[in-house]
């Protein structure tokens, strides 16, 4: 008659499977590289304040000056960060203004609505949260840049 495995054994085997799976996903290459290509032309922020707000709240995903956090080297977080940065740069790259100036209007809208920066990001990066004043400053700057460049 087969004996039911003891709890100790279940925990050991279960724990081993979790550790093995964690190690195995580290072998997936996606997320290994953390590219910061050269800045082509930085967005022409009208003043220091709006530039500083954007650098804190947008540049990790929307520029070539991403500050890759330690957890971005560990799967599965590395996959999420990599895909956010890839998609973010694709939509709006503040380091390549000549290519993306026409996005300024859209960016002002996203910020005004509160869709950007994304809440899953500001939950971890609390300094990237926008106060009402910061939001207004950033929206005004983006609108001005849309008028100048777009
Ligand atoms: C955590 C990364 C992250 C941060 C920080 C972030 N974004 Fe985004 N942004 C994304 C991703 C990913 C997309 C594409 C998917 C989407 O639209 O949600 C995006 C899309 C956009 C788009 C295009 C939206 C559309 O659908 O047309 C604009 C404009 C934008 N972001 C502006 C900003 C601005 C301005 C900030 C700073 C206030 C900011 N984002 C902060 C990740 C980010």
């Amino acid at each position: 008659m087969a004996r039911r495995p003891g709890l100790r054994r279940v925990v050991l085997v279960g724990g081993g499977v979790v550790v093995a799976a964690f190690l195995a996903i580290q072998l997936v290459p996606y997320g290994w590289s953390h590219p910061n290509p050269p800045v082509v032309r930085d967005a022409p922020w009208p003043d220091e304040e709006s530039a500083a707000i954007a650098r804190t709240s947008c540049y990790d995903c929307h520029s070539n000056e991403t500050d890759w956090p330690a957890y971005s080297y560990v799967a599965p977080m590395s996959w999420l960060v990599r895909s956010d940065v890839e998609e973010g740069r694709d939509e709006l790259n503040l380091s390549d203004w000549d290519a993306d100036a026409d996005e300024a209007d859209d960016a002002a809208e996203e910020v005004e609505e509160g869709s950007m920066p994304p809440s899953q990001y500001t939950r971890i990066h609390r300094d990237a949260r926008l106060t009402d004043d910061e939001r207004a400053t950033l929206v005004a700057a983006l609108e001005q840049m849309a008028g100048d460049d777009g």
Side-chain angles (χ1 to χ4, degrees):
M1 201 169 85
R3 273 187 29 167
R4 288 187 19 231
L7 180 62
R8 198 181 136 81
R9 188 155 163 235
V10 170
V11 169
L12 278 175
V13 171
V17 167
V18 169
V19 169
F22 175 78
L23 293 176
I25 65 174
Q26 306 310 318
L27 300 176
V28 176
Y30 184 75
W32 281 1
S33 79
H34 296 75
N36 275 1
V39 173
V40 182
R41 186 186 158 213
D42 194 31
W45 299 104
D47 50 67
E48 286 297 319
E49 197 191 353
S50 56
I53 296 168
R55 285 193 167 270
T56 306
S57 298
C58 315
Y59 272 52
D60 271 351
C61 303
H62 291 290
S63 82
N64 293 345
E65 300 180 74
T66 303
D67 183 10
W68 299 94
Y71 61 78
S72 75
Y73 289 83
V74 182
M77 285 307 285
S78 55
W79 305 337
L80 300 178
V81 174
R82 182 69 204 278
S83 93
D84 267 355
V85 174
E86 235 165 51
E87 270 188 71
R89 285 177 182 169
D90 232 36
E91 292 280 347
L92 166 72
N93 191 338
L94 296 165
S95 299
D96 193 357
W97 192 247
D98 294 325
D100 282 356
D102 57 348
E103 289 292 322
D105 244 341
D106 194 18
E109 230 169 80
E110 297 284 327
V111 173
E112 189 144 46
E113 284 169 359
S115 340
M116 288 287 152
S119 55
Q120 91 264 10
Y121 177 78
T122 51
R123 224 172 284 141
I124 304 172
H125 299 260
R126 289 176 177 261
D127 58 335
R129 277 185 201 174
L130 299 174
T131 62
D132 289 345
D133 280 353
E134 288 170 339
R135 188 180 309 281
T137 303
L138 188 56
V139 168
L142 286 163
E143 278 170 352
Q144 185 180 332
M145 287 150 67
D148 289 348
D149 257 311

